[in-house]
Amino acid sequence: MGYTNYFLCVTISLFLTLSSLHLVAPFPAAASGGGLDYSYYDQTCPRLAMIIRYSVWSAFKNESRIAASLLRLHFHDCLVNGCEGSILLDDTIDFKGEKNAPANRNSARGYEVIDSIKAEVEKACPSTVSCTDILALAAREAVVMTGGPYWPVSLGRRDGLTANQAAVAQELPSPIESLDDITAKFTSKGLDVKDVVVLSGSFLHFTRRLFNFKNTGKPDPALESSALTSLQGMCPNKDASNANLAPLDSTTTRFDNSYYTNIVNNAGLLDSDQALLMNPTTGEMVRSYSSNPYQFYSDFAASMVKLSSVGVLTGKNGEIRKKCGSVN
């Protein structure tokens, strides 16, 4: 059994699949790029790692889905205007936050866990640690705690001062986009096609693959028959099923490489899954990850290091929020 994300039948949540074994990837012992450093809080908040680790463990003990949710929340934050905690901000009279953007509503979750961690960190180290760093560390802890690979998280990010709801639709990839367009959104953030495959995920309506693929009135013929039957049972073709939850794969308590195995077996659920397999370059990677989980674990860890450095604010830019849901 493995660890997976769940999604609403009407809405695909971001799917980020991880390893079933702990792996320490070969990274340098220190980092200083972009003003970030692995030891940034060693003197100012030495208990930070312990506070976050315990808080994530407590949340996971209460609800196993939260590990995938924290990872997804970090991803959604970083791909929209960079890793600066904008996804955590509530709406104000000055701007509409990203929480209620269609792509995040009923998909991004775990805000209360980050708020709780922030409150504990503020008790130990007032006005010292950014919400963005807390989210980056919580995502890593969630992965490792559920058997996934370890990657070093450089620290020193500061929190953004605003959010942009419209940017969510513009910058997050969608499974109805072409693979070229999805790749372009990744490359605009300094990521590449390997990161597209490793950090595969998007969200939008998927029931059309079950009942009305490309307006034919029939299911997508590429879907494996038993998977199709199972999903049609969980998500019948009626409005009342829009709030139903269904797993993206059969592994429900840890992350693993089942996502790629499913794609190879024609059981992937997103349109973008099929696109990954059909493209010669990405298809080769999908097949490799389905049969060689250790390569996937290593590449995933490397991609997470890149993702967590996208568009960071450092130095005097931004601020250290006292509460993650609002600017100071």
Side-chain angles (χ1 to χ4, degrees):
M1 183 162 56
Y3 189 105
T4 188
N5 289 302
Y6 283 80
F7 53 82
L8 290 169
C9 284
V10 71
T11 304
I12 293 292
S13 297
L14 171 70
F15 182 73
L16 291 173
T17 178
L18 300 175
S19 72
S20 60
L21 297 174
H22 179 78
L23 174 84
V24 178
F27 293 104
S32 58
L36 303 180
D37 193 281
Y38 296 145
S39 59
Y40 191 85
Y41 298 113
D42 283 3
Q43 300 301 316
T44 57
C45 196
R47 296 180 56 238
L48 176 62
M50 182 177 68
I51 293 171
I52 292 179
R53 187 171 299 117
Y54 178 77
S55 297
V56 172
W57 175 82
S58 296
F60 178 73
K61 183 179 178 183
N62 185 57
E63 183 201 6
S64 62
R65 279 182 64 205
I66 200 63
S69 298
L70 292 173
L71 180 60
R72 182 186 309 129
L73 196 61
H74 180 44
F75 180 92
H76 284 211
D77 181 42
C78 291
L79 276 196
V80 180
N81 296 325
C83 307
E84 32 73 274
S86 59
I87 196 171
L88 304 174
L89 289 171
D90 296 320
D91 293 351
T92 72
I93 59 173
D94 297 317
F95 61 80
K96 287 186 176 181
E98 297 165 19
K99 289 183 178 181
N100 291 314
N104 287 332
R105 195 184 309 127
N106 296 324
S107 174
R109 57 192 297 275
Y111 302 106
E112 72 286 350
V113 175
I114 300 301
D115 289 342
S116 176
I117 296 174
K118 176 63 172 175
E120 291 302 313
V121 171
E122 282 294 303
K123 292 177 185 177
C125 322
S127 302
T128 301
V129 182
S130 69
C131 297
T132 312
D133 274 346
I134 288 173
L135 179 54
L137 287 168
R140 196 268 308 277
E141 289 304 319
V143 171
V144 173
M145 193 170 295
T146 54
Y150 174 93
W151 66 91
V153 177
S154 54
L155 301 168
R157 298 167 190 77
R158 289 170 66 84
D159 298 319
L161 302 177
T162 188
N164 186 343
Q165 187 175 111
V168 176
Q170 297 166 359
E171 300 183 30
L172 278 178
S174 163
I176 64 171
E177 294 179 302
S178 69
L179 182 58
D180 286 343
D181 288 344
I182 292 173
T183 302
K185 289 187 174 182
F186 273 71
T187 56
S188 72
K189 306 297 181 181
L191 304 173
D192 58 31
V193 67
K194 179 181 286 187
D195 301 313
V196 172
V197 179
V198 172
L199 303 176
S200 287
S202 298
F203 41 90
L204 206 67
H205 294 79
F206 91 99
T207 48
R208 61 205 179 92
R209 289 200 75 195
L210 305 183
F211 302 101
N212 189 27
F213 182 63
K214 294 184 177 180
N215 296 317
T216 62
K218 299 178 180 180
D220 183 351
L223 276 171
E224 193 272 330
S225 59
S226 62
L228 173 63
T229 301
S230 175
L231 286 165
Q232 286 178 331
M234 287 185 281
C235 302
N237 192 22
K238 56 185 179 181
D239 290 342
S241 72
N242 286 348
N244 292 358
L245 289 171
L248 276 171
D249 64 44
S250 60
T251 56
T252 58
T253 60
R254 71 170 186 264
F255 286 115
D256 55 31
N257 67 331
S258 297
Y259 171 66
Y260 303 101
T261 304
N262 285 348
I263 294 177
V264 170
N265 292 332
N266 294 319
L269 301 183
L270 310 181
D271 290 354
S272 53
D273 296 344
Q274 191 69 17
L276 288 176
L277 185 61
M278 298 303 293
N279 179 277
T281 300
T282 59
E284 182 178 350
M285 284 187 270
V286 167
R287 285 184 284 272
S288 174
Y289 292 150
S290 71
S291 61
N292 186 353
Y294 296 103
Q295 184 63 53
F296 166 60
Y297 307 158
S298 178
D299 288 350
F300 177 86
S303 288
M304 287 305 298
V305 171
K306 293 171 65 177
L307 175 68
S308 64
S309 298
V310 170
V312 299
L313 301 176
T314 59
K316 295 183 179 180
N317 296 315
E319 66 177 11
I320 304 298
R321 293 181 206 148
K322 297 183 184 297
K323 293 186 177 180
C324 294
S326 61
V327 297
N328 296 338

